Amino acid sequence: MEEFDKKSKGAMVFGIKMPTESGQYGVIEIDKDGRVIRLKKNPNIPKSDIAQTGIYMYDDQVFKFIKNLTPSARGELEVTDLK
């Protein structure tokens, strides 16, 4: 939390390296600099071995982004759709 508090804006998502090939976990894809480029909910063919832990931190801009989301097929707003 202390690291996130040092930022003036943005988001932070937590993950753990582990086997993700089962499609059982949400997966965090990162670029060569370690920045998140995509969150995929339980992909059949994961592009990363970093599983999402379900811990996310967002600045107050997140509420603007939430207003633009549409419900998923499950009828829910999905954190993985935030951009």
Side-chain angles (χ1 to χ4, degrees), residues 33-46:
D33 298 317
R35 290 181 294 224
V36 174
I37 55 173
R38 187 173 298 114
L39 302 175
K40 291 294 281 185
K41 187 171 181 82
N42 305 28
N44 290 330
I45 303 172

Side-chain angles (χ1 to χ4, degrees), residues 39 58 65 69-72 76-83:
L39 302 175
Y58 298 96
F65 299 125
L69 291 180
T70 55
S72 68
E76 298 180 9
L77 299 178
E78 304 288 348
V79 69
T80 54
D81 292 334
L82 287 168
K83 295 181 172 94

Side-chain angles (χ1 to χ4, degrees), residues 9-29:
K9 65 179 183 175
M12 188 176 284
V13 59
F14 293 81
I16 186 168
K17 283 189 173 262
M18 61 184 291
T20 57
E21 62 273 351
S22 67
Q24 178 177 346
Y25 304 102
V27 173
I28 302 170
E29 296 176 31

